[in-house]
Amino acid sequence: MSDLSTPRADGFSMPPEWVPHQGCIMAWPTRHSFWAELFEQAKSDYAETARAIAAFEHVIMICCHDDARDVRDRCGSYVEVVEIEIDDSWTRDSGPIFVTNDRGELAVVNFEFNSWGGKYRPYDRDAALARAFADVFGVRCYDAPIVLEGGAFFVDGEGTLLTTELPILDPNRNPNLTKELFEVAASDYLGVEKVVWLTAYPDRDTDGHVDGIAQYVRPGTLLLLTPDDPQDENFTYATENVRRLTGATDAHDRPIEVLPFGVTGTGTAGSTAVGIAYLNCYLANSAVIVPMVGAPSDEEALGRLREVFPDRDVVGVPGATLSYGGGGPHCITQQIPIGTAKPSPLGVAETPL
């Protein structure tokens, strides 16, 4: 059963990633045809990432029934296994988005998902994942009327949303959507007041998600990829983003402080050369989980992130195979804010997830 109201009308909004979590959702690699000879490596790297996060917060690994034993064997007892049939393993984009209210209640927003504009099929089980998760845990679920992947935006928890243009306005995702209509939907379903628009390199899968080029540090302060190398594919886009952010303000009319992040790196996944998006990191409780490729740039990136997040442990995890797949630790995770489950209209007890 779907609510006919909206999260905003019911007093809900999306918290930022850096506030305390009660846990993290991941999904086990499933699409063998995509990973090919790297399938086993992908599972190993997902497991290592899950174990790293589990040192700081509870991890729920969603997997198909046939994979449950493999997940338990690789991830260990600190990772909870939840069996929900899925097509792919990019929970940030296909999974639930969590919103909370002033009473400490938690609800789910189910944005439409069509596999980044129909790039990989089938995707019907992933499109149903947010609602399936809400049903399993008895959480109220709001169905949003637009396609929106979680990696396409950040919120600061104080009314500001940061995104890039191509994934939002892609005609294969939202053929009739305009910036103005998106801003209305973002207000209704995420509780934001202002949208800041950036641009990004139109990559193979996401068409330029913001979580490859930026990460919020706190309200009003943004880490932004600004490659030192003018030959980097993101260099011209970064220059444009610096221009857009110069003089830009957030929902409270505060100037947005940009912290430049110039570190880039390359590695190999199997026989394939891959770049690494160090800013595609996950802010776990008291930690930053960062992709690494075994290059000298890894230590430079970790050092820069320790400067920016001095109160967090900065932890590296394998990133080359994730990059081959089209993402990083941020793409394969989704935080669950602290809160009690807001019951669905069918009625369940209010308990933590």
Short mmCIF file of all heavy atoms in Angstrom, two decimals, residues 156-206:
data_model
loop_
_atom_site.label_atom_id
_atom_site.label_comp_id
_atom_site.label_asym_id
_atom_site.label_seq_id
_atom_site.Cartn_x
_atom_site.Cartn_y
_atom_site.Cartn_z
N ASP A 156 22.22 18.34 2.41
CA ASP A 156 22.99 18.81 3.56
C ASP A 156 22.20 18.75 4.86
O ASP A 156 22.70 19.13 5.92
CB ASP A 156 23.51 20.23 3.32
CG ASP A 156 22.42 21.29 3.34
OD1 ASP A 156 21.22 20.94 3.38
OD2 ASP A 156 22.76 22.50 3.31
N GLY A 157 20.94 18.28 4.79
CA GLY A 157 20.12 18.16 5.99
C GLY A 157 19.55 19.48 6.46
O GLY A 157 18.81 19.51 7.45
N GLU A 158 19.87 20.56 5.78
CA GLU A 158 19.38 21.88 6.16
C GLU A 158 18.69 22.58 4.98
O GLU A 158 18.64 23.80 4.90
CB GLU A 158 20.51 22.74 6.72
CG GLU A 158 21.11 22.15 8.00
CD GLU A 158 22.12 23.07 8.66
OE1 GLU A 158 22.33 24.20 8.16
OE2 GLU A 158 22.70 22.66 9.68
N GLY A 159 18.19 21.76 4.06
CA GLY A 159 17.37 22.30 2.99
C GLY A 159 18.00 22.38 1.62
O GLY A 159 17.35 22.78 0.65
N THR A 160 19.28 21.99 1.49
CA THR A 160 19.99 22.11 0.21
C THR A 160 20.22 20.74 -0.40
O THR A 160 20.62 19.80 0.30
CB THR A 160 21.35 22.82 0.39
OG1 THR A 160 21.16 24.03 1.10
CG2 THR A 160 22.00 23.11 -0.95
N LEU A 161 20.00 20.63 -1.70
CA LEU A 161 20.30 19.42 -2.46
C LEU A 161 21.28 19.78 -3.56
O LEU A 161 21.14 20.80 -4.24
CB LEU A 161 19.03 18.82 -3.05
CG LEU A 161 19.18 17.51 -3.86
CD1 LEU A 161 17.95 16.62 -3.67
CD2 LEU A 161 19.37 17.78 -5.36
N LEU A 162 22.29 18.93 -3.73
CA LEU A 162 23.32 19.11 -4.76
C LEU A 162 23.19 17.99 -5.78
O LEU A 162 23.10 16.81 -5.42
CB LEU A 162 24.70 19.05 -4.11
CG LEU A 162 25.91 19.31 -5.01
CD1 LEU A 162 26.07 20.81 -5.27
CD2 LEU A 162 27.18 18.75 -4.37
N THR A 163 23.18 18.34 -7.07
CA THR A 163 23.03 17.32 -8.10
C THR A 163 23.73 17.77 -9.38
O THR A 163 24.27 18.87 -9.46
CB THR A 163 21.54 17.03 -8.37
OG1 THR A 163 21.42 15.87 -9.21
CG2 THR A 163 20.85 18.21 -9.04
N THR A 164 23.73 16.88 -10.37
CA THR A 164 24.24 17.20 -11.70
C THR A 164 23.11 17.05 -12.71
O THR A 164 22.14 16.33 -12.48
CB THR A 164 25.41 16.28 -12.09
OG1 THR A 164 25.01 14.92 -11.90
CG2 THR A 164 26.63 16.57 -11.24
N GLU A 165 23.25 17.70 -13.84
CA GLU A 165 22.12 17.84 -14.76
C GLU A 165 21.78 16.59 -15.56
O GLU A 165 20.61 16.21 -15.68
CB GLU A 165 22.41 19.01 -15.71
CG GLU A 165 22.45 20.35 -15.01
CD GLU A 165 23.16 21.42 -15.81
OE1 GLU A 165 24.01 21.09 -16.66
OE2 GLU A 165 22.86 22.61 -15.56
N LEU A 166 22.79 15.94 -16.15
CA LEU A 166 22.50 14.89 -17.13
C LEU A 166 21.68 13.73 -16.57
O LEU A 166 20.71 13.31 -17.20
CB LEU A 166 23.80 14.39 -17.75
CG LEU A 166 24.45 15.30 -18.80
CD1 LEU A 166 25.74 14.68 -19.31
CD2 LEU A 166 23.52 15.57 -19.95
N PRO A 167 22.03 13.15 -15.42
CA PRO A 167 21.23 12.02 -14.93
C PRO A 167 19.80 12.40 -14.59
O PRO A 167 18.88 11.57 -14.73
CB PRO A 167 21.99 11.56 -13.68
CG PRO A 167 23.37 12.11 -13.83
CD PRO A 167 23.20 13.39 -14.55
N ILE A 168 19.59 13.61 -14.14
CA ILE A 168 18.24 14.04 -13.75
C ILE A 168 17.37 14.30 -14.98
O ILE A 168 16.20 13.89 -15.03
CB ILE A 168 18.30 15.32 -12.89
CG1 ILE A 168 19.20 15.11 -11.67
CG2 ILE A 168 16.90 15.77 -12.48
CD1 ILE A 168 18.70 14.07 -10.70
N LEU A 169 17.93 14.97 -15.96
CA LEU A 169 17.15 15.40 -17.12
C LEU A 169 17.27 14.46 -18.31
O LEU A 169 16.79 14.77 -19.40
CB LEU A 169 17.59 16.82 -17.53
CG LEU A 169 17.52 17.87 -16.40
CD1 LEU A 169 18.01 19.21 -16.89
CD2 LEU A 169 16.10 17.99 -15.86
N ASP A 170 17.90 13.30 -18.11
CA ASP A 170 18.05 12.29 -19.16
C ASP A 170 16.69 11.87 -19.71
O ASP A 170 15.83 11.40 -18.95
CB ASP A 170 18.79 11.08 -18.57
CG ASP A 170 18.91 9.92 -19.54
OD1 ASP A 170 18.74 10.14 -20.76
OD2 ASP A 170 19.16 8.79 -19.07
N PRO A 171 16.43 12.01 -21.02
CA PRO A 171 15.12 11.62 -21.56
C PRO A 171 14.83 10.13 -21.45
O PRO A 171 13.67 9.73 -21.53
CB PRO A 171 15.21 12.06 -23.04
CG PRO A 171 16.67 12.19 -23.32
CD PRO A 171 17.31 12.61 -22.04
N ASN A 172 15.87 9.30 -21.27
CA ASN A 172 15.63 7.88 -21.06
C ASN A 172 15.21 7.57 -19.62
O ASN A 172 14.79 6.45 -19.33
CB ASN A 172 16.89 7.08 -21.40
CG ASN A 172 17.21 7.13 -22.87
OD1 ASN A 172 16.33 7.03 -23.72
ND2 ASN A 172 18.49 7.31 -23.19
N ARG A 173 15.36 8.54 -18.73
CA ARG A 173 14.91 8.39 -17.35
C ARG A 173 13.60 9.15 -17.13
O ARG A 173 12.61 8.58 -16.68
CB ARG A 173 15.97 8.89 -16.38
CG ARG A 173 17.25 8.05 -16.26
CD ARG A 173 18.27 8.87 -15.51
NE ARG A 173 19.41 8.16 -14.97
CZ ARG A 173 20.59 8.07 -15.58
NH1 ARG A 173 20.75 8.59 -16.78
NH2 ARG A 173 21.60 7.44 -14.99
N ASN A 174 13.66 10.45 -17.39
CA ASN A 174 12.51 11.33 -17.13
C ASN A 174 12.25 12.19 -18.36
O ASN A 174 12.71 13.33 -18.44
CB ASN A 174 12.82 12.22 -15.92
CG ASN A 174 13.01 11.45 -14.64
OD1 ASN A 174 12.10 10.76 -14.19
ND2 ASN A 174 14.20 11.57 -14.04
N PRO A 175 11.56 11.66 -19.36
CA PRO A 175 11.45 12.35 -20.64
C PRO A 175 10.78 13.72 -20.58
O PRO A 175 11.03 14.56 -21.45
CB PRO A 175 10.64 11.38 -21.51
CG PRO A 175 9.96 10.47 -20.55
CD PRO A 175 10.88 10.35 -19.38
N ASN A 176 9.95 13.98 -19.59
CA ASN A 176 9.22 15.25 -19.55
C ASN A 176 9.64 16.12 -18.37
O ASN A 176 8.98 17.12 -18.07
CB ASN A 176 7.71 14.98 -19.47
CG ASN A 176 7.21 14.21 -20.67
OD1 ASN A 176 7.49 14.57 -21.81
ND2 ASN A 176 6.49 13.13 -20.43
N LEU A 177 10.75 15.76 -17.72
CA LEU A 177 11.15 16.48 -16.52
C LEU A 177 11.95 17.73 -16.87
O LEU A 177 12.80 17.71 -17.75
CB LEU A 177 11.99 15.57 -15.63
CG LEU A 177 12.20 16.02 -14.18
CD1 LEU A 177 10.89 16.03 -13.41
CD2 LEU A 177 13.21 15.11 -13.48
N THR A 178 11.66 18.81 -16.17
CA THR A 178 12.44 20.04 -16.25
C THR A 178 13.12 20.28 -14.91
O THR A 178 12.79 19.63 -13.91
CB THR A 178 11.54 21.24 -16.57
OG1 THR A 178 10.61 21.42 -15.48
CG2 THR A 178 10.77 21.03 -17.86
N LYS A 179 14.04 21.22 -14.88
CA LYS A 179 14.67 21.56 -13.61
C LYS A 179 13.63 22.01 -12.59
O LYS A 179 13.68 21.64 -11.41
CB LYS A 179 15.72 22.66 -13.80
CG LYS A 179 17.01 22.19 -14.43
CD LYS A 179 18.03 23.34 -14.45
CE LYS A 179 19.38 22.86 -14.99
NZ LYS A 179 20.38 23.96 -15.00
N GLU A 180 12.68 22.79 -13.04
CA GLU A 180 11.67 23.32 -12.13
C GLU A 180 10.81 22.20 -11.56
O GLU A 180 10.51 22.19 -10.35
CB GLU A 180 10.80 24.34 -12.86
CG GLU A 180 11.50 25.62 -13.25
CD GLU A 180 12.45 25.46 -14.44
OE1 GLU A 180 12.32 24.46 -15.19
OE2 GLU A 180 13.32 26.33 -14.63
N LEU A 181 10.42 21.23 -12.39
CA LEU A 181 9.61 20.11 -11.91
C LEU A 181 10.42 19.22 -10.97
O LEU A 181 9.88 18.70 -9.99
CB LEU A 181 9.06 19.30 -13.08
CG LEU A 181 7.97 19.98 -13.91
CD1 LEU A 181 7.62 19.13 -15.14
CD2 LEU A 181 6.72 20.21 -13.06
N PHE A 182 11.70 19.03 -11.28
CA PHE A 182 12.52 18.25 -10.36
C PHE A 182 12.62 18.93 -9.00
O PHE A 182 12.56 18.26 -7.96
CB PHE A 182 13.93 18.06 -10.93
CG PHE A 182 14.86 17.40 -9.94
CD1 PHE A 182 14.78 16.04 -9.69
CD2 PHE A 182 15.77 18.16 -9.22
CE1 PHE A 182 15.61 15.44 -8.75
CE2 PHE A 182 16.61 17.58 -8.28
CZ PHE A 182 16.52 16.21 -8.05
N GLU A 183 12.77 20.23 -8.99
CA GLU A 183 12.89 20.94 -7.72
C GLU A 183 11.63 20.80 -6.88
O GLU A 183 11.69 20.70 -5.65
CB GLU A 183 13.26 22.40 -7.99
CG GLU A 183 14.68 22.53 -8.51
CD GLU A 183 15.04 23.93 -8.99
OE1 GLU A 183 14.17 24.84 -8.88
OE2 GLU A 183 16.17 24.13 -9.48
N VAL A 184 10.48 20.75 -7.54
CA VAL A 184 9.22 20.52 -6.81
C VAL A 184 9.21 19.11 -6.22
O VAL A 184 8.86 18.91 -5.05
CB VAL A 184 8.01 20.72 -7.74
CG1 VAL A 184 6.72 20.26 -7.06
CG2 VAL A 184 7.89 22.19 -8.15
N ALA A 185 9.60 18.11 -7.03
CA ALA A 185 9.63 16.73 -6.53
C ALA A 185 10.63 16.57 -5.40
O ALA A 185 10.36 15.88 -4.40
CB ALA A 185 9.97 15.77 -7.68
N ALA A 186 11.80 17.20 -5.52
CA ALA A 186 12.81 17.12 -4.46
C ALA A 186 12.29 17.73 -3.17
O ALA A 186 12.56 17.24 -2.07
CB ALA A 186 14.09 17.81 -4.90
N SER A 187 11.54 18.80 -3.28
CA SER A 187 10.94 19.42 -2.10
C SER A 187 9.91 18.50 -1.47
O SER A 187 9.90 18.28 -0.25
CB SER A 187 10.29 20.75 -2.49
OG SER A 187 9.59 21.31 -1.39
N ASP A 188 9.03 17.92 -2.29
CA ASP A 188 7.95 17.07 -1.78
C ASP A 188 8.46 15.78 -1.15
O ASP A 188 7.92 15.33 -0.13
CB ASP A 188 6.98 16.72 -2.91
CG ASP A 188 6.10 17.89 -3.33
OD1 ASP A 188 6.01 18.87 -2.55
OD2 ASP A 188 5.52 17.83 -4.42
N TYR A 189 9.48 15.16 -1.76
CA TYR A 189 9.87 13.81 -1.34
C TYR A 189 11.15 13.76 -0.52
O TYR A 189 11.41 12.75 0.14
CB TYR A 189 9.96 12.89 -2.56
CG TYR A 189 8.58 12.58 -3.09
CD1 TYR A 189 7.99 13.38 -4.05
CD2 TYR A 189 7.85 11.52 -2.57
CE1 TYR A 189 6.69 13.14 -4.49
CE2 TYR A 189 6.56 11.26 -3.00
CZ TYR A 189 5.99 12.09 -3.97
OH TYR A 189 4.70 11.84 -4.39
N LEU A 190 11.96 14.83 -0.54
CA LEU A 190 13.19 14.86 0.25
C LEU A 190 13.21 16.01 1.25
O LEU A 190 14.11 16.08 2.09
CB LEU A 190 14.40 14.95 -0.67
CG LEU A 190 14.59 13.76 -1.62
CD1 LEU A 190 15.68 14.05 -2.64
CD2 LEU A 190 14.88 12.47 -0.86
N GLY A 191 12.22 16.91 1.15
CA GLY A 191 12.12 17.99 2.10
C GLY A 191 13.12 19.09 1.92
O GLY A 191 13.44 19.81 2.88
N VAL A 192 13.64 19.30 0.71
CA VAL A 192 14.64 20.34 0.48
C VAL A 192 14.00 21.64 0.02
O VAL A 192 12.84 21.66 -0.45
CB VAL A 192 15.71 19.88 -0.54
CG1 VAL A 192 16.39 18.61 -0.06
CG2 VAL A 192 15.10 19.69 -1.91
N GLU A 193 14.76 22.72 0.16
CA GLU A 193 14.28 24.05 -0.21
C GLU A 193 14.98 24.60 -1.44
O GLU A 193 14.44 25.46 -2.13
CB GLU A 193 14.50 25.02 0.96
CG GLU A 193 13.85 24.61 2.26
CD GLU A 193 12.33 24.75 2.23
OE1 GLU A 193 11.83 25.44 1.31
OE2 GLU A 193 11.66 24.19 3.11
N LYS A 194 16.21 24.13 -1.69
CA LYS A 194 17.00 24.69 -2.79
C LYS A 194 17.82 23.60 -3.44
O LYS A 194 18.38 22.75 -2.75
CB LYS A 194 17.92 25.80 -2.27
CG LYS A 194 18.73 26.48 -3.37
CD LYS A 194 19.48 27.69 -2.83
CE LYS A 194 20.21 28.44 -3.95
NZ LYS A 194 20.89 29.66 -3.45
N VAL A 195 17.91 23.64 -4.78
CA VAL A 195 18.72 22.70 -5.54
C VAL A 195 19.88 23.46 -6.18
O VAL A 195 19.68 24.50 -6.82
CB VAL A 195 17.90 21.99 -6.64
CG1 VAL A 195 18.79 21.09 -7.49
CG2 VAL A 195 16.77 21.18 -6.00
N VAL A 196 21.09 22.96 -5.98
CA VAL A 196 22.29 23.52 -6.61
C VAL A 196 22.69 22.56 -7.72
O VAL A 196 22.94 21.38 -7.48
CB VAL A 196 23.42 23.68 -5.58
CG1 VAL A 196 24.69 24.18 -6.26
CG2 VAL A 196 23.00 24.63 -4.46
N TRP A 197 22.79 23.07 -8.93
CA TRP A 197 23.05 22.26 -10.11
C TRP A 197 24.51 22.34 -10.53
O TRP A 197 25.05 23.42 -10.77
CB TRP A 197 22.18 22.72 -11.28
CG TRP A 197 20.71 22.52 -11.06
CD1 TRP A 197 19.83 23.38 -10.49
CD2 TRP A 197 19.95 21.37 -11.44
NE1 TRP A 197 18.56 22.84 -10.48
CE2 TRP A 197 18.61 21.61 -11.06
CE3 TRP A 197 20.26 20.16 -12.07
CZ2 TRP A 197 17.58 20.69 -11.29
CZ3 TRP A 197 19.26 19.24 -12.30
CH2 TRP A 197 17.94 19.50 -11.91
N LEU A 198 25.15 21.17 -10.64
CA LEU A 198 26.51 21.07 -11.17
C LEU A 198 26.49 20.28 -12.48
O LEU A 198 25.45 19.85 -12.95
CB LEU A 198 27.42 20.37 -10.15
CG LEU A 198 27.59 21.05 -8.79
CD1 LEU A 198 28.56 20.26 -7.93
CD2 LEU A 198 28.04 22.49 -8.93
N THR A 199 27.68 20.10 -13.06
CA THR A 199 27.83 19.27 -14.24
C THR A 199 28.92 18.24 -13.96
O THR A 199 29.72 18.39 -13.04
CB THR A 199 28.21 20.13 -15.47
OG1 THR A 199 28.19 19.32 -16.65
CG2 THR A 199 29.58 20.77 -15.31
N ALA A 200 28.93 17.15 -14.71
CA ALA A 200 29.90 16.09 -14.47
C ALA A 200 30.19 15.35 -15.77
O ALA A 200 29.38 15.35 -16.70
CB ALA A 200 29.40 15.11 -13.41
N TYR A 201 31.35 14.70 -15.79
CA TYR A 201 31.73 13.89 -16.95
C TYR A 201 30.67 12.82 -17.21
O TYR A 201 30.32 12.06 -16.31
CB TYR A 201 33.08 13.24 -16.68
CG TYR A 201 33.56 12.35 -17.80
CD1 TYR A 201 34.08 12.89 -18.97
CD2 TYR A 201 33.48 10.96 -17.69
CE1 TYR A 201 34.51 12.08 -20.00
CE2 TYR A 201 33.91 10.14 -18.72
CZ TYR A 201 34.42 10.70 -19.87
OH TYR A 201 34.85 9.89 -20.89
N PRO A 202 30.13 12.73 -18.44
CA PRO A 202 29.07 11.76 -18.75
C PRO A 202 29.62 10.34 -18.90
O PRO A 202 29.92 9.88 -19.99
CB PRO A 202 28.48 12.29 -20.06
CG PRO A 202 29.61 13.03 -20.71
CD PRO A 202 30.41 13.62 -19.58
N ASP A 203 29.75 9.63 -17.78
CA ASP A 203 30.41 8.33 -17.78
C ASP A 203 29.53 7.24 -18.40
O ASP A 203 28.37 7.46 -18.74
CB ASP A 203 30.82 7.94 -16.36
CG ASP A 203 29.65 7.91 -15.40
OD1 ASP A 203 28.66 7.20 -15.67
OD2 ASP A 203 29.70 8.62 -14.37
N ARG A 204 30.08 6.05 -18.49
CA ARG A 204 29.45 4.92 -19.19
C ARG A 204 28.08 4.54 -18.61
O ARG A 204 27.14 4.27 -19.35
CB ARG A 204 30.37 3.71 -19.10
CG ARG A 204 29.85 2.43 -19.75
CD ARG A 204 30.66 1.23 -19.29
NE ARG A 204 30.45 0.94 -17.87
CZ ARG A 204 31.22 0.11 -17.16
NH1 ARG A 204 32.27 -0.46 -17.73
NH2 ARG A 204 30.95 -0.10 -15.89
N ASP A 205 27.98 4.54 -17.30
CA ASP A 205 26.78 3.99 -16.66
C ASP A 205 25.83 5.05 -16.12
O ASP A 205 24.64 5.01 -16.39
CB ASP A 205 27.19 3.05 -15.51
CG ASP A 205 27.95 1.84 -16.01
OD1 ASP A 205 27.49 1.22 -16.98
OD2 ASP A 205 29.01 1.53 -15.45
N THR A 206 26.35 5.99 -15.32
CA THR A 206 25.46 6.89 -14.60
C THR A 206 25.16 8.18 -15.34
O THR A 206 24.27 8.93 -14.93
CB THR A 206 26.05 7.27 -13.23
OG1 THR A 206 27.14 8.19 -13.40
CG2 THR A 206 26.54 6.03 -12.47
#
